[in-house]
Every structure is written in C-alpha cells, then in structure tokens.
Amino acid sequence: MSGFFATLKRIGSERDGWLGLAFTLAILVFALIGPLVGPDPNAIDIKARFAAPELAHLLGTDNLGRDLAARTSVGTRYALTLAVMIVVISSIIGSLIGIVAGIAGGWVDRAVTAVFDIVNAFPPLILAFALIALYGKGSATFVLLVTVVFIPQFGRMARARAQTLRNLSFIEAERMLAVHPVTIVVRHYLPNVAGPIIVLASMNLPVVIAFEASLSFLGFGVQPPNSSLGTLIKDGFVSINQSWWPTVAAALVLAIATLGATLLGEALRRVIDPKSTGAR
Amino acid sequence: MTDAIAISNAQLRFGETAALDGVSLTIPQGTCFGIVGESGSGKTTLMRAVLGLQKLDQGEIRILGKPLVHGRAALRERASFIQPIFQDPAASLSPRSRIRTLMNEVGTVLREPHAATHERLAVILGRLSLPPGVIDKYPHEISGGQARRVAIARALLMKPSILIADEPTAGLDVSVQGDLLNLLQDIRRSQNITLVVISHNLAIMRLIAENAVVMRAGNVIEGGEVGSLFGSPQEVYTRDLLAAWPSIRAVNTKG
C-alpha cells in the first residue's frame, strides 16, 4: 500500500497531476456524497420550475422543478459507475485475450488480431449504434457493447507486452521447470503486463465517460428513469430557450470529470511508465 | 551406460543462415563437457534445442536415451532430468514474485509438500552459501551474484541429472568466477550430475571441463579431451581462438 501512496504523492507533486487529482476528487465527492445529503432528485415542484441557482437549489431546477444539483450528482454517480465498470471489464478481458494471443502466436494470434482490426475499423460511435440497433437498449447490454468496443486497445497492448515477455529468460525458466501454463500466465505474465494496462485504463476512463455521455445524449445509452450526464444535457437542451442552467450544469460537471481524469491519467503514465510517449 | 545427451545431425536454419548445420555429438554421463565457440557459432541455439525451447528442422536429440519430443507431458518429464542455468540469471527470476514463491512452484511441479521442498532448499541454500532470509526477497533486492546462485538453487531443487550452464561466468569478476566454477564442480561431483558448460572463454574450459568441442558457423569442427584439444589443436580456427586474447595498445593522445 505504501507504493500506492508514493504514487499519489508523486502525481500530486506535478502541477497537471495536482489539478487532475483535485478535479477527480471533487467529482468523486460530488458523485458519492451528493446523493446522500442532497434533496430527492425526483421530487417535482412545478411552481419552482426553471429556477436560477439559489440556496435551496444550488444549480437551479429543471422543467419540472426538480433539483438539478441532486439530479446531476446522481447522474454523475451513474455515469462514473458505468465508465469504471466498462474500463475494468474491458481491460481484464482485453489483457487475457491479448496475453493468450501473444503467447500462442501462429493462427490464434492472427485470428485475434484480425478480430481486433475489424472492431477498430469502425468509428466507435458508429459501431456502438450498430450493436445497440442489433441488441437493443438497456444498461446491461450497454455496458457489454461499449466493453466490446474498448477491448481491442487493451488487447493490443497486452499482446505486444506478452510477445516481449515470451522470449525473456524468466518465462523460459518457468517453462523449463514445467510450471503449469495457467500459473505462468497469472503469476508471471499478468503482473508484468499490468503497469501499462493500468495506465491505458486510466487514460481511457475520460474517453469512456465522454463516449457514454454522447450515446446517452443521442438517446442510445442510459434509459429513463435512470439519468446520466448525457441524458441531463439532452433534457436541458430541449428546453434551452426557457433556461440554460440544466445544460450548463451537467456539461460543466462532464467537462470537469473528463479533464480531471485525463490529467490524472497523463500524470499516472508519467509516474508508472516514464518511457512511453503516450497511449496513441 | 547411455549417454546423457546424444545429438545426431541437428540442422536448423533461420532464413538464409544455417544456425545448426548438421551437428552430431555425444555427452557421456557424469562428466563436465564444454562447448566452445565465438558469438554466433550456434552454441546457444544448440542448447535451446536440447532444452526443447527450439524445434530442429532435422536431426534427433536423445536425453538419457529418450528421444526429445515436444508437448507438455514430455516437458514435465524432461524437466526432472535436465535444467538450464541461463546466461543472465538475474533475468531468469520472475521480477514480481518473491523467491519463496518461485521455489514453491518447483515443489508444486514435483507434487511435493511445501515443507519437504523447504527442507531440501535449506540444504541447497547452505551449500551455495546463501542466507536463509534470501527467500523472502524479490529478485531486484538481491545482488547479481546471489541471483545467480538462487537460479542455480532453483534448478537443483528439481533434482536434475543434467545441468546446462550458458556462459556461467559472464559478467562476474575474476575472483567470483573461480568460486562459481568450484561450486559447479562440487555440485557435479557430489550429486553425479552431468554438467554442460557453454562459453567463448577457453580459460574456464581448461579449468572445469574434461571434454570439449569447438563450434563454428553451426558445425562442430573439432573435439576431444580438453588437454590435448587446447594443447595441440588440429584446426586453424581453434588455434586462432586460443591466440585471440585481447591486448591493449597505448595510444599517445598528446599533441
């Protein structure tokens, strides 16, 4: 655990990293504690509709008089939960597929690389539209489909690392001792692939947050009664002539969340993996 | 007695180059055998083929009379006969595992309780003059010399009858080189292990090996008992190798 705090300290010592850490912490506090202390996000109060920010409603109210601060914090929590789930699942599945392809080589490797290429050949949003059109809407399918879109990035990186590791003495020494292949993958490949994968995951987090918001804004992502940042921006956008608060509040939170996560990811990369020049 | 290793007509090409060009040699059991040659002569490739890490294009390798076959069952059986000591032993220890974990793995492969493994390990560590506390460290926390001995200890834990050491003295200073060679020689004599030493360094061959072969461009060009091989070499190449000691010329940098 001391390594974790040392990493945090080094991130905090850089200006970008400090800012990223501060933004991310602020968003986390907003998303985790906001729903606990704020008013009911679904309480309708037509008389107070389109209120500007005041003490009772810190970010104003929407077209039904619902408290925007509460709605935004619930939406942020939902968006972050989805993004973290998607990044964690796709990085684990991607790493395992990539490691197996990198070790196996031959036709297994060619087949996996071909599938990765096919997935990557489509612009992510278009691919997500197609998959949602095929499999329908819903939170569970949404997580699965976006995961599929992000697996190849992790897979490629894990595959490249595994190919390097495969020929190193310590992996050959394990093989010469007839250690079980599953043990070799779990104990000797995974920990040595993890560093760059964690960096890539942290840099992908803001991408996934923005991706989810775009899909939800277009109505393909999170479905009512749940709300995420994307649906809040969309709902506000519909009545932007009456009041611009709802859109701006949610968009501001989205901007801070993605900016914070991006700066934090960049700082994490510089600390963990100083030799690489960036994920893309 | 069957030979420890018998190689007949081993051939392997990497594209245009013949890494092994019809190598045949036999290594008797219980001896120390040297394979000498310059970089790129095919010594390491031959070792990798014997270990089963590299498939041959043609030819046959027998280990203790049994033909070398690929596949997991065969590998498991072979692992208890033959173990390598890699050129860079520090790199042959998995960087993110404690040495205890690495040693336990050997016990798991042998289907032996960990307590029994550690009992044997304690004896081996003592022999290699490694402190018992070394097993709770990570590979990067021990010195290069210790890492080399830990790699040897791990190979010995497998109870092999053949050890193949690739450049065992590379990167060690001269005093430690002697210690290490003595150690390998001791282990070989006391446990009746066949020791195969691969090196470009003729001096260490003279110290440790009984028989040796000289390799060049994927071929064995000369072989025999070390005294006569290096005392009166028949091949020009061997004589060149013997004569090729580095020398330093003083250069006048004034002016």
Side-chain angles (χ1 to χ4, degrees):
Chain A
M1 254 1 239
S2 65
F4 175 74
F5 288 115
T7 309
L8 273 190
K9 207 175 163 193
R10 282 181 61 191
I11 288 174
S13 69
E14 293 180 63
R15 192 187 46 181
D16 291 4
W18 187 87
L19 214 59
L21 210 56
F23 279 0
T24 309
L25 274 178
I27 289 295
L28 276 180
V29 167
F30 181 63
L32 296 178
I33 300 179
L36 301 178
V37 298
D40 179 2
N42 292 320
I44 296 173
D45 179 8
I46 296 291
K47 278 181 286 179
R49 68 198 296 254
F50 296 132
E54 56 187 12
L55 208 57
H57 305 290
L58 287 176
L59 289 173
T61 57
D62 69 357
N63 56 339
L64 296 174
R66 295 176 293 193
D67 183 67
L68 273 172
R71 290 186 67 72
T72 312
S73 76
V74 171
T76 310
R77 186 177 63 179
Y78 197 68
L80 287 185
T81 313
L82 284 186
V84 169
M85 267 168 73
I86 289 166
V87 167
V88 167
I89 298 174
S90 60
S91 61
I92 291 174
I93 297 180
S95 304
L96 287 176
I97 295 178
I99 290 174
V100 169
I103 298 173
W107 68 266
V108 178
D109 187 32
R110 281 198 294 278
V112 169
T113 316
V115 173
F116 284 174
D117 282 341
I118 291 170
V119 174
N120 267 4
F122 296 95
L125 266 178
I126 305 290
L127 181 64
F129 288 161
L131 290 173
I132 288 165
L134 273 176
Y135 296 103
K137 299 171 181 175
S139 293
T141 34
F142 178 78
V143 169
L144 278 180
L145 300 181
V146 181
T147 299
V148 168
V149 176
F150 280 88
I151 282 177
Q153 286 190 33
F154 294 104
R156 271 171 206 288
M157 180 165 274
R159 171 177 169 269
R161 286 284 297 162
Q163 281 178 333
T164 317
L165 291 171
R166 185 176 62 180
N167 296 319
L168 295 186
S169 300
F170 76 87
I171 294 289
E172 288 190 334
E174 297 298 320
R175 276 168 61 200
M176 288 317 301
L177 286 165
V179 174
H180 197 277
V182 174
T183 311
I184 298 184
V185 167
V186 172
R187 195 177 284 157
H188 302 294
Y189 277 96
L190 265 185
N192 291 295
V193 169
I197 290 287
I198 289 172
V199 170
L200 184 62
S202 72
M203 297 183 72
N204 260 337
L205 202 58
V207 179
V208 176
I209 294 173
F211 191 76
E212 182 273 326
S214 329
L215 280 176
S216 298
F217 179 80
L218 294 169
F220 293 101
V222 174
Q223 299 301 316
N226 292 319
S227 64
S228 82
L229 291 173
T231 53
L232 283 171
I233 296 176
K234 184 188 71 175
D235 291 347
F237 193 67
V238 172
S239 48
I240 199 158
N241 285 328
Q242 280 89 24
S243 165
W244 48 274
W245 276 107
T247 308
V248 169
L252 198 67
V253 172
L254 178 64
I256 293 174
T258 47
L259 182 64
T262 307
L263 291 177
L264 188 63
E266 271 289 335
L268 191 64
R269 180 186 64 71
R270 285 197 298 270
V271 172
I272 291 189
D273 202 8
K275 276 177 283 182
S276 78
T277 50
R280 59 190 74 205
Chain B
M1 198 155 77
T2 41
D3 289 314
I5 298 172
I7 300 166
S8 65
N9 191 31
Q11 293 188 25
L12 178 68
R13 302 190 72 84
F14 292 127
E16 290 292 297
T17 22
L20 297 175
D21 195 7
V23 174
S24 297
L25 61 88
T26 54
I27 300 175
Q29 274 188 56
T31 60
C32 180
F33 193 89
I35 300 177
V36 195
E38 58 187 357
S39 306
S41 58
K43 338 180 272 292
T44 300
T45 309
L46 188 67
M47 156 182 160
R48 292 174 60 81
V50 168
L51 292 169
L53 288 170
Q54 180 71 60
K55 280 187 184 165
L56 292 176
D57 291 343
Q58 254 184 58
E60 194 193 39
I61 296 173
R62 283 172 177 273
I63 293 166
L64 297 168
K66 286 183 185 163
L68 186 148
V69 280
H70 291 270
R72 191 163 152 71
L75 173 68
R76 214 202 149 286
E77 195 190 352
R78 196 163 60 240
S80 56
F81 296 151
I82 186 164
Q83 278 299 317
I85 298 166
F86 285 103
Q87 220 174 88
D88 183 356
S92 69
L93 301 172
S94 187
R96 302 203 186 230
S97 300
R98 277 181 211 279
I99 287 157
R100 176 188 296 277
T101 314
L102 297 176
M103 296 297 181
N104 285 346
E105 278 181 348
V106 179
T108 309
V109 170
L110 292 173
R111 301 198 175 93
E112 182 183 53
H114 285 336
T117 311
H118 282 276
E119 220 167 275
R120 293 196 297 120
L121 181 63
V123 178
I124 295 173
L125 291 183
R127 273 197 95 100
L128 300 182
S129 21
L130 283 166
V134 83
I135 60 170
D136 287 315
K137 301 207 165 153
Y138 284 98
H140 65 87
E141 293 172 334
I142 60 178
S143 73
Q146 283 183 329
R148 205 173 284 256
R149 280 174 285 153
V150 166
I152 295 174
R154 196 167 180 227
L156 289 177
L157 206 50
M158 203 68 199
K159 298 184 268 188
S161 43
I162 305 168
L163 265 184
I164 302 189
D166 191 2
E167 300 285 3
T169 57
L172 294 182
D173 60 55
V174 179
S175 61
V176 186
Q177 282 187 10
D179 290 349
L180 189 91
L181 293 178
N182 285 332
L183 182 68
L184 286 175
Q185 201 67 292
D186 274 0
I187 292 166
R188 179 177 78 78
R189 294 222 177 89
S190 62
Q191 309 198 11
N192 198 26
I193 287 175
T194 309
L195 179 64
V196 181
V197 176
I198 298 171
S199 183
H200 65 279
N201 186 338
L202 298 178
I204 76 159
M205 288 302 173
R206 280 191 166 153
L207 283 174
I208 193 170
E210 292 149 24
N211 295 292
V213 291
V214 179
M215 284 189 73
R216 182 192 192 186
N219 266 313
V220 170
I221 57 167
E222 196 171 2
E225 191 264 318
V226 167
S228 62
L229 179 63
F230 297 143
S232 52
Q234 300 301 302
E235 292 285 329
V236 180
Y237 178 71
T238 313
R239 270 179 249 155
D240 286 350
L241 267 185
L242 281 168
W245 287 103
S247 58
I248 299 168
R249 271 178 301 154
V251 179
N252 188 356
T253 52
K254 277 187 197 161

